Amino acid sequence: MDDHAVGSHRHLSRRSLIATGALAAGALGASAPTIGTAFGGSPARAAAGVTKKITIYAEQLPGNLFGYGLAPGQATVPGPLLEMYEGDTLEITLVNTTNQRLSIHPHGVDYSTESDGSPFNASFNNPGETRTYVWRSHEMVAAAGRRYMPGSAGYWHYHDHAMGTDHGTAGVAKGLYGALIVRRRGDILPEKQFTVVFHDMMINNLMAPATPMFEANLGQRVEWIAIGHGNLFHTFHLHAHRWADNRTGMLEGPSDPSLVVDNKDLNPGSSFGFQVLAGEGVGPGAWMYHCHVQTHSDGGMAGIFLVRNADGSMPPGAEEAIHRFQGHTHTHGS
Ligand SMILES: [Cu+2]
């Protein structure tokens, strides 16, 4: 994820973070040291407060779709998975190669009205126009007593907010969306990452059996980022795996009270993420992920999580299950 770093500097000093915290807690007169750096010696290797500059190309795709890509001709649905560490700034030069008004609007991070990506704030790209959007992030800040102001860390997402309507309804419908992860230093990094967007009756704008098949080898640490869009309410279910319903999906100790789930609401505009060890406790196989609204799963909102053997070979029964899935007739729910 640092591949795109062009220049880096400390955009926000420790001092200014403290000042920000002091402002937030000012009325209560609390001192406000940041605690985000208390996790020293983390496996995550980014320096504090770097600015990463990337260029994103918005392009029209076959099938009346639109996508974001990190290079010309490489737009995809969903768009590229963007990552940053708390404290980092992402400076995005969005090149609009299309004949449509569009933008890029993030969830979860900090931005000015100029980077809002909404026509409401006159923040969008006209057809053919290039515009820069700046997404900032910050670490958790101690407030009064035992309280903390949340940092930016989370499984977030970004999407168009200008095509078709002032809410980007046409852009979202046509594929202008993607995942955004803000990590806390010390977070465990995954070996594989899957972005799953439940959008109307589709997954990543596809319906079964054309929906994505995600693959991992037994024991690999895989990270799922689930995003909801459109006009329907969904529930995301993953077979044979479970996660803690918190920021990371992992428990922080034996007394961590986080609820452990294998099914979670995934409604328009919401997102969550988690990591699992592929096939942990259940073994390899072709496992299903799907929307658990029955008319939606019947209607094509299902896909395969193929957990291969640790050596990458196919486990018994998996080929047959995949074949069964591909031959399966889905009725279209309304
Ligand atoms: Cu659904």
Side-chain angles (χ1 to χ4, degrees), residues 198 200 233-235 291-293 296 301:
F198 280 13
D200 285 337
F233 294 84
H234 304 290
T235 57
C291 179
H292 220 299
V293 178
H296 294 186
M301 295 195 73

Side-chain angles (χ1 to χ4, degrees), residues 174-242:
K174 293 176 180 186
L176 287 173
Y177 51 69
L180 167 65
I181 302 175
V182 183
R183 296 193 195 279
R184 191 176 292 169
R185 286 184 177 71
D187 283 351
I188 297 172
L189 301 179
E191 294 167 87
K192 295 212 146 188
Q193 294 170 292
F194 311 135
T195 301
V196 185
V197 181
F198 280 13
H199 169 223
D200 285 337
M201 288 296 288
M202 299 172 288
I203 298 175
N204 297 1
N205 270 58
L206 299 166
M207 297 174 82
T211 43
M213 180 165 73
F214 300 112
E215 298 188 33
N217 294 344
L218 182 66
Q220 277 190 310
R221 178 174 291 281
V222 301
E223 182 170 63
W224 295 74
I225 304 97
I227 300 163
H229 272 306
N231 302 293
L232 301 173
F233 294 84
H234 304 290
T235 57
F236 174 88
H237 174 50
L238 176 61
H239 282 211
H241 297 75
R242 77 304 309 159

